[in-house]
């Protein structure tokens, strides 16, 4: 564990560019709307447009060491994105084994890693980072989840937000891509989010899917 923290700190310290854009933060004063009970899927229905025949782009993900419960939440976020992306782009999970030599020509994966007990405070305001996503030069990158800060928050929502950054989009005013964690507004891939992805990747938004609330 200590080695892993050292490794991730070391890697982050080497990374260029603006570090703030990829952070999802939470307020130390508590989450907005935290008193409202999450709807737990009620009303979160996705559109169901005809899927593309084949994925035009595969985005490989490597999931680091998480508890089975945490891993399940990460996989839920990945599956929801694959449904929303509707076959035009597809996240695939790659294993950590040495089998990668055969796939040397495949693009480098994004690694989802847990870090404990560290993580920057993010200015402005009394906030702390829940997670951070940083591309690496060339391809792939790192998603660091500050796992001991998640608490009762939904790890699936946090990872779903960060996967938006993996796809190249920035923060929005509200909804999934808001920079400040919200317990009820970040439970699915909303139309503003998928519209931003479509614009970034030159896809047609009406061929993708989004949740309708
Ligand atoms: Zn973010």
């Amino acid at each position: 564990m200590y080695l892993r923290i050292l490794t991730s700190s070391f890697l982050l310290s080497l990374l260029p560019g603006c570090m703030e854009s990829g952070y999802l933060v939470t307020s130390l004063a508590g989450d907005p709307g935290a008193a409202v009970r999450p709807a737990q899927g009620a009303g979160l229905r996705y559109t169901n447009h005809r899927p593309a025949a084949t994925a035009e782009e595969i985005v490989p993900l490597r999931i680091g060491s998480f508890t089975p419960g945490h891993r399940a939440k990460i996989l839920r976020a990945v599956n929801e994105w694959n449904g929303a992306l509707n076959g035009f782009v597809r996240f695939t999970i790659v294993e950590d084994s040495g089998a990668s030599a055969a796939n040397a020509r495949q693009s480098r994966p994004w690694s989802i890693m847990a870090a404990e007990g560290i993580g920057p405070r993010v200015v402005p305001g009394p906030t702390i980072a829940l997670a951070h996503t940083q591309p690496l030069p060339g391809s792939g990158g790192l998603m660091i989840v500050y796992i001991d800060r998640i608490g009762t928050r939904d790890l699936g929502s946090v990872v779903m937000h960060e996967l938006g950054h993996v796809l190249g989009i920035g923060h929005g005013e509200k909804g999934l891509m808001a920079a400040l964690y919200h317990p009820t507004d970040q439970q699915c891939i909303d139309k503003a989010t998928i519209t931003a992805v479509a614009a970034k990747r030159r896809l047609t938004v009406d061929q993708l899917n989004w949740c309708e609330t």
Side-chain angles (χ1 to χ4, degrees), residues 31-166:
D31 298 319
V36 181
R37 275 181 67 84
Q40 294 297 350
L44 302 181
R45 276 222 333 258
Y46 275 86
T47 57
N48 187 22
H49 298 133
R50 204 150 64 94
T54 54
E56 289 180 3
E57 185 188 353
I58 299 291
V59 180
L61 299 174
R62 180 184 289 138
I63 302 177
S65 108
F66 287 88
T67 65
H70 285 159
R71 187 180 165 91
K73 290 184 174 186
I74 292 168
L75 291 176
R76 171 183 71 92
V78 171
N79 287 337
E80 274 191 45
W81 265 113
N82 282 340
L85 294 165
N86 212 16
F88 290 93
V89 181
R90 184 160 188 86
F91 288 115
T92 59
I93 309 298
V94 297
E95 298 305 325
D96 234 349
S97 69
S100 56
N103 302 322
R105 300 177 68 187
Q106 203 181 33
S107 56
R108 196 163 47 175
W110 288 79
S111 293
I112 304 177
M113 300 162 69
E116 286 183 54
I118 60 158
R121 300 175 75 96
V122 182
V123 290
T127 58
I128 51 168
L130 294 174
H132 176 231
T133 293
Q134 177 73 47
L136 288 168
S139 70
L142 290 174
M143 181 193 301
I144 309 284
V145 180
Y146 301 111
I147 199 74
D148 54 357
R149 292 179 176 171
I150 299 295
T152 57
R153 299 178 187 90
D154 179 18
L155 176 64
S157 298
V158 170
V159 171
M160 206 182 294
H161 170 104
E162 296 301 322
L163 288 172
H165 293 314
V166 169

Side-chain angles (χ1 to χ4, degrees), residues 20-25 131 161-162 165 169-171 176-179:
E20 278 176 47
S21 61
Y23 284 109
L24 177 64
V25 302
H161 170 104
E162 296 301 322
H165 293 314
I169 62 171
H171 285 145
L176 180 64
M177 295 312 292

